[in-house]
Short mmCIF file of all heavy atoms in Angstrom, two decimals:
data_model
loop_
_atom_site.label_atom_id
_atom_site.label_comp_id
_atom_site.label_asym_id
_atom_site.label_seq_id
_atom_site.Cartn_x
_atom_site.Cartn_y
_atom_site.Cartn_z
N VAL A 27 54.19 140.39 188.80
CA VAL A 27 53.61 139.48 187.81
C VAL A 27 54.06 138.06 188.14
O VAL A 27 55.25 137.82 188.34
CB VAL A 27 54.06 139.84 186.38
CG1 VAL A 27 53.41 138.91 185.36
CG2 VAL A 27 53.74 141.30 186.06
N VAL A 28 53.10 137.15 188.22
CA VAL A 28 53.45 135.75 188.47
C VAL A 28 53.77 135.08 187.14
O VAL A 28 52.95 135.05 186.23
CB VAL A 28 52.30 135.00 189.17
CG1 VAL A 28 52.63 133.50 189.28
CG2 VAL A 28 52.06 135.59 190.55
N VAL A 29 54.99 134.58 187.02
CA VAL A 29 55.41 133.81 185.85
C VAL A 29 55.98 132.50 186.37
O VAL A 29 57.05 132.50 187.00
CB VAL A 29 56.47 134.56 185.00
CG1 VAL A 29 56.84 133.71 183.77
CG2 VAL A 29 55.96 135.93 184.57
N TYR A 30 55.28 131.43 186.13
CA TYR A 30 55.74 130.14 186.62
C TYR A 30 57.03 129.71 185.92
O TYR A 30 57.31 130.10 184.79
CB TYR A 30 54.69 129.06 186.39
CG TYR A 30 53.47 129.19 187.27
CD1 TYR A 30 52.20 129.31 186.72
CD2 TYR A 30 53.60 129.18 188.66
CE1 TYR A 30 51.08 129.42 187.53
CE2 TYR A 30 52.48 129.29 189.47
CZ TYR A 30 51.23 129.41 188.90
OH TYR A 30 50.13 129.51 189.71
N GLN A 31 57.78 128.89 186.60
CA GLN A 31 58.97 128.27 186.01
C GLN A 31 58.60 126.88 185.54
O GLN A 31 57.87 126.17 186.22
CB GLN A 31 60.09 128.18 187.05
CG GLN A 31 61.35 127.52 186.52
CD GLN A 31 62.38 127.28 187.62
OE1 GLN A 31 62.20 127.72 188.75
NE2 GLN A 31 63.44 126.57 187.29
N GLY A 32 59.08 126.50 184.38
CA GLY A 32 58.89 125.13 183.92
C GLY A 32 60.11 124.31 184.28
O GLY A 32 60.97 124.73 185.05
N CYS A 33 60.19 123.12 183.74
CA CYS A 33 61.37 122.30 184.00
C CYS A 33 61.99 121.87 182.68
O CYS A 33 61.37 121.96 181.62
CB CYS A 33 61.02 121.08 184.85
SG CYS A 33 59.96 119.87 184.05
N ASP A 34 63.19 121.42 182.75
CA ASP A 34 63.96 121.05 181.57
C ASP A 34 63.26 119.95 180.77
O ASP A 34 62.64 119.05 181.34
CB ASP A 34 65.35 120.58 182.00
CG ASP A 34 66.33 120.58 180.85
OD1 ASP A 34 66.26 119.64 180.02
OD2 ASP A 34 67.16 121.50 180.78
N THR A 35 63.37 120.05 179.46
CA THR A 35 62.74 119.05 178.59
C THR A 35 63.37 117.67 178.71
O THR A 35 62.83 116.69 178.19
CB THR A 35 62.81 119.50 177.12
OG1 THR A 35 64.18 119.78 176.77
CG2 THR A 35 61.97 120.75 176.89
N ALA A 36 64.49 117.58 179.40
CA ALA A 36 65.12 116.27 179.62
C ALA A 36 64.22 115.36 180.45
O ALA A 36 64.32 114.13 180.38
CB ALA A 36 66.47 116.43 180.31
N PHE A 37 63.34 115.98 181.25
CA PHE A 37 62.42 115.19 182.06
C PHE A 37 61.19 114.88 181.23
O PHE A 37 60.43 115.76 180.84
CB PHE A 37 62.03 115.97 183.32
CG PHE A 37 63.20 116.28 184.20
CD1 PHE A 37 63.85 117.49 184.11
CD2 PHE A 37 63.68 115.34 185.10
CE1 PHE A 37 64.94 117.78 184.90
CE2 PHE A 37 64.78 115.61 185.90
CZ PHE A 37 65.41 116.83 185.81
N GLN A 38 60.99 113.62 180.94
CA GLN A 38 59.85 113.22 180.12
C GLN A 38 59.57 111.73 180.32
O GLN A 38 60.45 110.97 180.71
CB GLN A 38 60.15 113.48 178.64
CG GLN A 38 61.42 112.80 178.14
CD GLN A 38 61.77 113.21 176.73
OE1 GLN A 38 60.90 113.41 175.92
NE2 GLN A 38 63.06 113.33 176.45
N ILE A 39 58.32 111.38 180.05
CA ILE A 39 57.95 109.96 180.12
C ILE A 39 58.69 109.23 179.01
O ILE A 39 58.72 109.67 177.86
CB ILE A 39 56.43 109.80 179.94
CG1 ILE A 39 55.69 110.51 181.09
CG2 ILE A 39 56.05 108.33 179.91
CD1 ILE A 39 54.20 110.55 180.91
N SER A 40 59.30 108.11 179.35
CA SER A 40 60.08 107.37 178.36
C SER A 40 60.19 105.92 178.77
O SER A 40 60.21 105.59 179.96
CB SER A 40 61.48 107.99 178.23
OG SER A 40 62.30 107.23 177.38
N ASP A 41 60.25 105.04 177.78
CA ASP A 41 60.53 103.64 178.07
C ASP A 41 61.96 103.52 178.58
O ASP A 41 62.85 104.29 178.20
CB ASP A 41 60.36 102.78 176.81
CG ASP A 41 58.90 102.73 176.35
OD1 ASP A 41 58.01 102.84 177.22
OD2 ASP A 41 58.67 102.60 175.14
N LYS A 42 62.18 102.53 179.41
CA LYS A 42 63.51 102.33 179.97
C LYS A 42 64.50 101.97 178.87
O LYS A 42 64.30 101.01 178.13
CB LYS A 42 63.46 101.22 181.02
CG LYS A 42 64.73 101.09 181.85
CD LYS A 42 64.52 100.11 183.00
CE LYS A 42 65.78 99.98 183.83
NZ LYS A 42 65.59 99.05 184.96
N GLY A 43 65.54 102.78 178.73
CA GLY A 43 66.54 102.55 177.69
C GLY A 43 67.89 102.20 178.28
O GLY A 43 68.04 102.01 179.49
N SER A 44 68.90 102.16 177.43
CA SER A 44 70.25 101.77 177.87
C SER A 44 70.83 102.75 178.87
O SER A 44 71.54 102.36 179.80
CB SER A 44 71.17 101.64 176.66
OG SER A 44 71.22 102.87 175.94
N LEU A 45 70.53 104.06 178.69
CA LEU A 45 71.03 105.06 179.64
C LEU A 45 70.44 104.83 181.02
O LEU A 45 71.14 104.89 182.03
CB LEU A 45 70.71 106.47 179.16
CG LEU A 45 71.11 107.61 180.12
CD1 LEU A 45 72.61 107.59 180.38
CD2 LEU A 45 70.69 108.96 179.58
N ASP A 46 69.13 104.54 181.08
CA ASP A 46 68.48 104.28 182.36
C ASP A 46 69.12 103.07 183.04
O ASP A 46 69.36 103.07 184.26
CB ASP A 46 66.99 104.05 182.17
CG ASP A 46 66.25 105.33 181.80
OD1 ASP A 46 66.87 106.40 181.85
OD2 ASP A 46 65.06 105.25 181.46
N GLU A 47 69.38 102.04 182.28
CA GLU A 47 69.99 100.83 182.85
C GLU A 47 71.39 101.13 183.37
O GLU A 47 71.80 100.63 184.43
CB GLU A 47 70.02 99.73 181.80
CG GLU A 47 68.63 99.22 181.42
CD GLU A 47 68.66 98.19 180.31
OE1 GLU A 47 69.77 97.88 179.82
OE2 GLU A 47 67.58 97.71 179.92
N GLU A 48 72.12 101.95 182.62
CA GLU A 48 73.48 102.33 183.03
C GLU A 48 73.45 103.12 184.32
O GLU A 48 74.25 102.89 185.24
CB GLU A 48 74.13 103.15 181.91
CG GLU A 48 75.55 103.59 182.21
CD GLU A 48 76.10 104.51 181.12
OE1 GLU A 48 75.76 104.31 179.94
OE2 GLU A 48 76.86 105.43 181.47
N VAL A 49 72.51 104.08 184.41
CA VAL A 49 72.38 104.89 185.62
C VAL A 49 71.96 104.03 186.80
O VAL A 49 72.46 104.20 187.92
CB VAL A 49 71.35 106.03 185.38
CG1 VAL A 49 70.95 106.70 186.69
CG2 VAL A 49 71.92 107.06 184.41
N CYS A 50 71.07 103.09 186.55
CA CYS A 50 70.62 102.17 187.60
C CYS A 50 71.79 101.40 188.20
O CYS A 50 71.92 101.28 189.42
CB CYS A 50 69.58 101.20 187.02
SG CYS A 50 68.88 100.08 188.24
N LYS A 51 72.66 100.92 187.35
CA LYS A 51 73.83 100.17 187.82
C LYS A 51 74.82 101.08 188.54
O LYS A 51 75.39 100.71 189.57
CB LYS A 51 74.51 99.48 186.64
CG LYS A 51 73.71 98.34 186.04
CD LYS A 51 74.43 97.75 184.83
CE LYS A 51 73.61 96.63 184.18
NZ LYS A 51 74.27 96.11 182.95
N ARG A 52 75.03 102.29 187.99
CA ARG A 52 76.02 103.20 188.56
C ARG A 52 75.70 103.56 190.00
O ARG A 52 76.58 103.67 190.85
CB ARG A 52 76.12 104.46 187.70
CG ARG A 52 77.24 105.40 188.13
CD ARG A 52 77.26 106.65 187.26
NE ARG A 52 77.23 106.30 185.85
CZ ARG A 52 76.56 106.98 184.91
NH1 ARG A 52 75.86 108.06 185.27
NH2 ARG A 52 76.57 106.62 183.65
N TYR A 53 74.41 103.77 190.29
CA TYR A 53 74.01 104.18 191.63
C TYR A 53 73.43 103.03 192.46
O TYR A 53 72.96 103.26 193.57
CB TYR A 53 73.00 105.33 191.55
CG TYR A 53 73.56 106.56 190.89
CD1 TYR A 53 73.25 106.88 189.56
CD2 TYR A 53 74.43 107.42 191.58
CE1 TYR A 53 73.78 108.00 188.94
CE2 TYR A 53 74.96 108.55 190.98
CZ TYR A 53 74.63 108.83 189.66
OH TYR A 53 75.15 109.95 189.05
N ALA A 54 73.46 101.82 191.90
CA ALA A 54 72.91 100.65 192.60
C ALA A 54 71.48 100.93 193.07
O ALA A 54 71.13 100.70 194.23
CB ALA A 54 73.80 100.25 193.76
N LEU A 55 70.65 101.44 192.14
CA LEU A 55 69.28 101.79 192.50
C LEU A 55 68.48 100.53 192.82
O LEU A 55 68.59 99.51 192.13
CB LEU A 55 68.62 102.55 191.34
CG LEU A 55 69.21 103.92 191.01
CD1 LEU A 55 68.53 104.51 189.78
CD2 LEU A 55 69.08 104.88 192.20
N PRO A 56 67.64 100.59 193.86
CA PRO A 56 66.81 99.43 194.21
C PRO A 56 65.69 99.23 193.19
O PRO A 56 65.42 100.10 192.36
CB PRO A 56 66.24 99.80 195.58
CG PRO A 56 66.27 101.29 195.60
CD PRO A 56 67.47 101.72 194.79
N HIS A 57 65.03 98.09 193.28
CA HIS A 57 63.99 97.75 192.30
C HIS A 57 62.75 98.63 192.44
O HIS A 57 62.22 99.13 191.45
CB HIS A 57 63.59 96.28 192.46
CG HIS A 57 62.48 95.85 191.54
ND1 HIS A 57 62.61 95.91 190.15
CD2 HIS A 57 61.23 95.39 191.79
CE1 HIS A 57 61.48 95.50 189.60
NE2 HIS A 57 60.63 95.18 190.56
N ARG A 58 62.30 98.84 193.67
CA ARG A 58 61.12 99.70 193.91
C ARG A 58 61.52 100.79 194.90
O ARG A 58 61.90 100.49 196.04
CB ARG A 58 59.96 98.88 194.49
CG ARG A 58 59.35 97.91 193.50
CD ARG A 58 58.22 97.10 194.14
NE ARG A 58 57.08 97.91 194.54
CZ ARG A 58 56.14 98.34 193.69
NH1 ARG A 58 56.21 98.04 192.40
NH2 ARG A 58 55.12 99.06 194.12
N TYR A 59 61.44 102.03 194.44
CA TYR A 59 61.85 103.10 195.36
C TYR A 59 61.00 104.35 195.22
O TYR A 59 60.46 104.68 194.16
CB TYR A 59 63.33 103.45 195.19
CG TYR A 59 63.77 104.02 193.85
CD1 TYR A 59 63.76 105.39 193.61
CD2 TYR A 59 64.25 103.17 192.85
CE1 TYR A 59 64.22 105.91 192.41
CE2 TYR A 59 64.70 103.68 191.64
CZ TYR A 59 64.68 105.05 191.43
OH TYR A 59 65.13 105.56 190.21
N ILE A 60 60.88 105.02 196.35
CA ILE A 60 60.29 106.36 196.45
C ILE A 60 61.45 107.33 196.26
O ILE A 60 62.53 107.14 196.83
CB ILE A 60 59.64 106.57 197.82
CG1 ILE A 60 58.50 105.57 198.03
CG2 ILE A 60 59.16 108.01 197.99
CD1 ILE A 60 58.16 105.37 199.49
N LEU A 61 61.24 108.37 195.48
CA LEU A 61 62.30 109.34 195.19
C LEU A 61 61.97 110.69 195.80
O LEU A 61 60.81 111.13 195.79
CB LEU A 61 62.46 109.50 193.68
CG LEU A 61 63.46 110.57 193.20
CD1 LEU A 61 64.89 110.21 193.60
CD2 LEU A 61 63.37 110.74 191.68
N SER A 62 62.99 111.36 196.34
CA SER A 62 62.86 112.75 196.77
C SER A 62 64.13 113.48 196.35
O SER A 62 65.24 112.97 196.56
CB SER A 62 62.67 112.84 198.28
OG SER A 62 62.31 114.16 198.65
N VAL A 63 63.98 114.65 195.74
CA VAL A 63 65.12 115.40 195.21
C VAL A 63 65.15 116.79 195.84
O VAL A 63 64.14 117.49 195.89
CB VAL A 63 65.03 115.52 193.67
CG1 VAL A 63 66.16 116.40 193.13
CG2 VAL A 63 65.06 114.14 193.02
N GLY A 64 66.33 117.19 196.30
CA GLY A 64 66.51 118.50 196.90
C GLY A 64 67.54 118.43 198.01
O GLY A 64 67.81 117.35 198.55
N SER A 65 68.13 119.55 198.37
CA SER A 65 69.12 119.57 199.45
C SER A 65 68.58 118.86 200.68
O SER A 65 67.42 119.07 201.05
CB SER A 65 69.50 121.01 199.82
OG SER A 65 70.12 121.64 198.73
N ILE A 66 69.40 118.04 201.30
CA ILE A 66 68.93 117.27 202.45
C ILE A 66 69.14 118.13 203.70
O ILE A 66 70.12 118.00 204.44
CB ILE A 66 69.68 115.92 202.53
CG1 ILE A 66 69.56 115.20 201.19
CG2 ILE A 66 69.09 115.05 203.64
CD1 ILE A 66 70.47 114.00 201.04
#
């Protein structure tokens, strides 16, 4: 039986908030970036 997996509800469209700004500073994220997630 095929049962798809969903993803955590933490991932959602949201306006940039204080947490996002904090994370941006912590990792020195660039202004415009392409993202890829997964073991390198």
Side-chain angles (χ1 to χ4, degrees):
V27 182
V28 174
V29 181
Y30 289 122
Q31 179 187 353
C33 67
D34 197 283
T35 55
F37 299 95
Q38 56 187 324
I39 298 173
S40 174
D41 293 331
K42 190 172 180 179
S44 57
L45 176 60
D46 289 351
E47 293 176 0
E48 181 185 325
V49 167
C50 183
K51 290 178 182 177
R52 186 181 310 142
Y53 298 102
L55 295 175
H57 178 61
R58 290 178 66 79
Y59 64 90
I60 297 159
L61 175 65
S62 191
V63 176
S65 296
I66 307 169

